[in-house]
Amino acid sequence: MCKIDVVFNMTVKQKTVLTIASDPMQTDEAVQDLRDKMLAERTWASHSSEIRLYVGFCAKNGIDPPWPVTRDSLEKFVALMAKAAYAPGSIVQYIGAVLRQMVLMHFDVEPGLLQWRRYLVQAAKRDGGDAHRMLPISYVMLAGIREFILQASCFRLVLQIFLYRMAVITWFFVMRIDETLGATDTRGLGRDAFAFDHANRSVTISLFVTKMNQEGVRCRRTHFCVCDVDSQRSDVDRLLPVCPYCAAFAVCVDNDKVSEDSSAPLRPDDVHDKAPKSEHMLKLLRAMLEKYAEKFPEFGLDLKTAEGRNLYGTQSLRRG
């Protein structure tokens, strides 16, 4: 028989595996690194929150231990969330988190529990209303709503100007809000994500590691300036451009806060050093759309009711 030598005739990577394997601490560190990458950073945060609620429910309901999950404990958990008026979609997300945690803790998820899950999901979704897709924000709307930012009643003007510019970038480059603004304080577009070709008035955005692009490779998008010549541009055009090139240039150079670190996420000023949450963008868009609907009733936008407002969200920027 051929004897396999575990020391010689190995590649560098193979030797590295064996070296790490001989050190328990390095092995544990490698395993933890792998586990951390199983979910995106933002997904880990929501997952942890969902599991805390389940564990807290078990403690209050006398279910000890909370793991492994049983049909009875899962049914009670879903029933209480439904009683507390959780949205059907949220209940489904919590059920998924609980069963995901089972897998992460190396518990077997029996087929009967998965079948029970389907019935619970079906019950949670019943009477939940008709599903709907977010309606798109069009270019005409994007251009029309900006004037309302400059009204005297606009709250935190510097932040709103910054958010609008980010909305324009998000719209043109078909990006997610957590890619442009950032889902956490360390995420979001930095100045090094933009490459400007001023001679041709174009900008290229390179996306690094994101939820949908864990490798951060070959994700580059380019747009050109769509503005009129400078002599025909108004002050509003310069401050709140509806143009990918000009909006990108503005967020890079025209903020009260410009970090020396080009990789640092862009922020409007020192007051808003932390990541502006997607709720900030959502509130801005809806506030502007409401005023837009009042000024242009011919568009028939219903922003006065909760049902109408829910048709527009940050995802609307990606559907334009």
Side-chain angles (χ1 to χ4, degrees):
M1 294 179 62
C2 177
K3 181 180 178 181
I4 300 177
D5 195 321
V6 298
V7 178
F8 301 103
N9 300 323
M10 287 192 170
T11 66
V12 173
K13 291 181 180 178
Q14 289 173 329
K15 290 180 180 179
T16 300
V17 170
L18 296 183
T19 300
I20 296 175
S22 65
D23 187 330
M25 290 186 63
Q26 288 192 59
T27 300
D28 290 343
E29 181 181 343
V31 170
Q32 188 59 51
D33 288 343
L34 181 65
R35 289 177 177 174
D36 289 343
K37 295 175 182 177
M38 289 180 179
L39 300 175
E41 185 177 357
R42 192 171 187 176
T43 306
W44 272 124
S46 61
H47 174 83
S48 299
S49 175
E50 290 147 6
I51 296 306
R52 281 195 298 270
L53 179 62
Y54 174 75
V55 172
F57 149 77
C58 289
K60 292 290 186 180
N61 205 248
I63 300 174
D64 185 29
W67 311 101
V69 177
T70 65
R71 298 189 190 189
D72 182 62
S73 64
L74 189 61
E75 180 182 29
K76 288 180 178 178
F77 184 52
V78 172
L80 267 60
M81 283 193 294
K83 195 71 173 178
Y86 272 76
S90 297
I91 294 177
V92 172
Q93 186 170 326
Y94 275 85
I95 296 174
V98 169
L99 295 183
R100 182 194 301 132
Q101 186 65 22
M102 283 266 289
V103 175
L104 294 175
M105 295 175 70
H106 297 171
F107 285 112
D108 291 331
V109 182
E110 50 141 340
L113 186 60
L114 293 177
Q115 180 66 39
W116 190 232
R117 172 197 185 184
R118 284 193 284 271
Y119 283 114
L120 294 175
V121 168
Q122 179 177 311
K125 288 183 175 181
R126 197 178 301 279
D127 299 327
D130 295 331
H132 67 271
R133 291 173 62 85
M134 288 290 180
L135 295 181
I137 291 178
S138 67
Y139 179 84
V140 173
M141 294 166 66
L142 196 64
I145 60 181
R146 59 185 177 155
E147 65 183 85
F148 301 109
I149 295 178
L150 301 180
Q151 294 185 355
S153 59
C154 189
F155 183 58
R156 293 178 179 172
L157 184 59
V158 171
L159 174 62
Q160 311 303 350
I161 291 174
F162 175 79
L163 289 175
Y164 181 80
R165 292 167 175 172
M166 280 295 192
V168 172
I169 294 170
T170 303
W171 191 91
F172 271 98
F173 286 91
V174 197
M175 297 169 68
R176 299 161 55 93
I177 287 297
D178 61 346
E179 291 173 338
T180 51
L181 290 180
T184 67
D185 294 343
T186 59
R187 291 272 295 277
L189 293 175
R191 292 198 317 278
D192 64 350
F194 298 86
F196 293 96
D197 180 352
H198 296 300
N200 294 303
R201 296 185 69 79
S202 71
V203 57
T204 298
I205 290 182
S206 298
L207 288 183
F208 302 112
V209 175
T210 67
K211 178 178 180 179
M212 306 305 293
N213 179 24
Q214 291 294 321
E215 296 299 323
V217 295
R218 293 192 300 276
C219 192
R220 291 184 292 273
R221 304 166 192 172
T222 300
H223 268 299
F224 291 83
C225 180
V226 298
C227 295
D228 294 327
V229 295
D230 286 344
S231 60
Q232 297 178 5
R233 294 176 66 199
S234 66
D235 291 338
V236 175
D237 290 331
R238 293 185 175 87
L239 185 64
L240 299 170
V242 195
C243 165
Y245 170 80
C246 296
F249 188 69
V251 296
C252 287
V253 303
D254 190 27
N255 293 323
D256 288 355
K257 178 183 179 64
V258 178
S259 174
E260 294 183 2
D261 181 4
S262 63
S263 65
L266 290 165
R267 300 292 179 251
D269 54 26
D270 288 320
V271 176
H272 303 95
D273 193 41
K274 294 185 178 297
K277 298 188 182 301
S278 59
E279 287 79 5
H280 291 154
M281 178 70 81
L282 181 61
K283 289 178 180 178
L284 174 68
L285 289 175
R286 287 182 176 170
M288 290 189 297
L289 282 170
E290 283 186 22
K291 292 180 170 57
Y292 182 75
E294 292 173 3
K295 184 171 182 179
F296 302 102
E298 62 270 21
F299 283 95
L301 299 183
D302 170 26
L303 279 304
K304 294 298 185 183
T305 65
E307 293 79 7
R309 287 192 296 272
N310 287 338
L311 293 177
Y312 292 93
T314 57
Q315 287 289 339
S316 295
L317 292 169
R318 302 182 72 227
R319 302 185 187 280

